[in-house]
Amino acid sequence: MVTVDHAPDILSPEFAADPYAAYRTLLQDSPLAWHDAMGSYIVSRYDDVARAFKDPAFTTDNYAWQLEPAHGRTILQMSGREHSVRRALVAPAFRGRELEQRFLPAIERNSRELIDRFRTTGSADLVGDFARHFPINVIVDMLGLDPSDHARFQVWYAAIIGFLGNLAQDPEVAAAGIRTREELAAYLIPVIRRRRREPGDDLLSTLCAAEVDGTSMSDEDVKAFCSLLLAAGGETTDKAIAGVFKNLLEHPEQLAEVRADRGLVANAFAETLRYSPPVHMIMRQPAEDIALSGGTVPAGSTVTCLIGAANRDPRRFAAPDTFDIHRADLPTDTAFSAAAHHLSFALGRHFCVGALLAKAEIDVGVNQLLDAMPDLRIADGHTPAEEGVFTRGPATLPVRFTPAAAVPGPRTEPGRP
């Protein structure tokens, strides 16, 4: 293996401030580098990252220490028949008529309720007032849990994401993630047992009742999947909504196109997933020695796949550092499927099961926000900036707009209350 001493340090303040400059160096000079502090090989080129996602020789055994302490054992750690059966148990709820008929109303309602809080004010922080809360509220409602617990789940979500992104191994962050696993189990397990006795028309009841080839999910399986959904479903949509608006606001001519043709919302989302993905790195563990660009990674090692770099690999994308909703090398019709050209939902057997849920949330959220803010613009004096290393997105996005009229309540017939 070739190790380049001057490879950028992905735990450095310089990297946190601008990972894209580091990605260009890694892609060109250090496609395979060893990071001593993380104990991991760093892989950046598109073909290598795509292979790590699709090749069965790359396992997810690393999740035993990376995810399991916070979630319990999840579908991400499984392989073979165990994985295919578990995926068949959960996947139907996140696609097609099940998603559209049962859960789209919850998506639309939660988006509207958040926007109602600021639509007449003329100003908002699209992160703090909307994006951070929207997907968590949707997940809580999809599961059929108490809406008064939205804030509680927000705290648990933040702790789990902190644990997953704790590359520097801060002991307090690690302890908070482990504590959240215990608190979430204490909350969810009794609810899961009640749903088994008294099922409702909600996702939690669906998961409890699901059965494939005589296999069903245990209470712990359901709890672990809900924990995973909270983290993966929350973080991607949170960061993606903020990213879509940051990118469009920085390219006003493209914002105008999207506003005029709402069919381009999907293009803006797909290009945001490529250009500024919510998740910048995912780890894998090879079961055998594997040759990649720049050398060989040994069996049993940890490989950190830089999605943020691979999505800007000039070997794969033309003008990769340019945001372009009309990009010819990123077809939108496959962007939310396992045939996607970007790598932000991973590929292969562990392709994100919630990709279509994320698309539905983005479509609803972006359209409702555009309707509520007809002349949306960045607040004076603010320059949007991304934060984060493992996951990344705007920490704040203050905007101004001409207030729209308040949305009227349900109409009633004359003479009726």
Side-chain angles (χ1 to χ4, degrees):
M1 210 274 310
V2 177
T3 300
V4 181
D5 292 336
H6 64 269
D9 178 5
I10 66 174
L11 295 184
S12 68
E14 293 77 17
F15 181 89
D18 181 14
Y20 302 106
Y23 292 158
R24 287 190 288 272
T25 299
L26 289 166
L27 286 164
Q28 180 62 38
D29 301 326
S30 309
L32 182 62
W34 170 255
H35 193 284
D36 194 57
M38 290 177 57
S40 175
Y41 292 93
I42 309 299
V43 177
S44 54
R45 289 185 180 172
Y46 184 97
D47 287 346
D48 293 331
V49 173
R51 181 182 176 187
F53 290 159
K54 293 189 293 185
D55 190 336
F58 282 91
T59 75
T60 55
D61 291 348
N62 53 287
Y63 287 150
W65 56 265
Q66 189 186 10
L67 300 184
E68 189 168 344
H71 289 309
R73 191 166 185 269
T74 72
I75 189 173
L76 292 179
Q77 296 166 249
M78 301 174 187
S79 60
R81 184 179 184 279
E82 182 185 31
H83 174 266
S84 62
V85 169
R86 287 298 189 280
R87 191 174 180 95
L89 286 168
V90 303
F94 295 91
R95 64 186 182 219
R97 296 179 64 184
E98 187 81 2
L99 173 62
E100 182 176 344
Q101 294 183 1
R102 291 181 63 188
F103 304 130
L104 188 58
I107 295 171
E108 293 173 337
R109 182 184 66 254
N110 277 286
S111 176
R112 184 175 59 254
E113 289 175 352
L114 288 168
I115 294 171
D116 282 348
R117 298 176 185 178
F118 59 78
R119 72 168 69 243
T120 61
T121 67
S123 65
D125 176 0
L126 293 184
V127 176
D129 293 331
F130 187 86
R132 188 173 296 146
H133 303 283
F134 176 45
I136 304 305
N137 293 0
V138 167
I139 289 169
V140 171
D141 288 4
M142 286 175 62
L143 291 170
L145 302 174
D146 190 341
S148 67
D149 287 326
H150 282 167
R152 194 176 188 182
F153 274 85
Q154 193 76 39
V155 173
W156 285 334
Y157 156 66
I160 293 171
I161 291 300
F163 182 93
L164 301 182
N166 189 22
L167 302 178
Q169 296 299 300
D170 184 313
E172 292 186 6
V173 173
I178 294 171
R179 186 169 60 250
T180 292
R181 173 180 173 176
E182 298 167 353
E183 293 174 356
L184 195 58
Y187 177 100
L188 278 177
I189 294 296
V191 179
I192 291 168
R193 291 172 179 167
R194 286 198 299 272
R195 296 297 163 82
R196 291 194 189 278
R197 297 191 303 268
E198 303 171 5
D201 186 26
D202 55 70
L203 178 58
L204 196 57
S205 297
T206 298
L207 296 173
C208 289
E211 183 175 321
V212 172
D213 296 337
T215 298
S216 58
M217 299 174 72
S218 69
D219 293 352
E220 175 61 27
D221 289 337
V222 174
K223 187 275 300 178
F225 181 78
C226 292
S227 179
L228 178 64
L229 177 63
L230 184 68
E235 188 72 350
T236 51
T237 305
D238 172 356
K239 297 286 193 293
I241 287 179
V244 166
F245 276 98
K246 174 183 180 293
N247 292 333
L248 290 176
L249 285 164
E250 291 179 335
H251 299 82
E253 72 291 347
Q254 296 185 57
L255 174 59
E257 288 187 77
V258 172
R259 186 180 292 284
D261 178 1
R262 299 302 177 84
L264 293 174
V265 169
N267 298 55
F269 181 29
E271 176 64 344
T272 292
L273 288 172
R274 184 203 67 83
Y275 180 76
S276 53
V279 179
H280 272 235
M281 55 187 72
I282 290 179
M283 295 179 179
R284 290 290 188 263
Q285 185 172 311
E288 59 191 53
D289 292 358
I290 296 181
L292 298 173
S293 301
T296 299
V297 292
S301 58
T302 299
V303 176
T304 299
C305 304
L306 297 182
I307 295 171
N311 279 345
R312 293 200 182 197
D313 189 342
R315 297 161 191 78
R316 183 64 184 80
F317 297 104
D321 295 322
T322 299
F323 180 81
D324 180 7
I325 61 174
H326 300 294
R327 179 172 291 279
D329 48 15
L330 188 69
T332 305
D333 58 345
T334 60
F336 313 103
S337 73
H341 287 208
H342 65 81
L343 300 178
S344 297
F345 287 135
L347 294 173
R349 64 196 182 282
H350 288 292
F351 175 80
C352 177
V353 72
L356 291 179
L357 171 62
K359 182 179 183 297
E361 290 175 317
I362 297 297
D363 185 62
V364 169
V366 171
N367 273 292
Q368 289 193 5
L369 285 164
L370 288 174
D371 288 342
M373 300 182 289
D375 54 355
L376 176 69
R377 56 196 181 277
I378 298 171
D380 292 344
H382 180 77
T383 301
E386 297 178 353
E387 291 184 4
V389 175
F390 179 74
T391 61
R392 188 172 179 85
T396 183
L397 190 57
V399 296
R400 299 290 182 268
F401 55 93
T402 300
V407 175
R411 295 184 179 180
T412 58
E413 296 179 13
R416 299 183 62 180

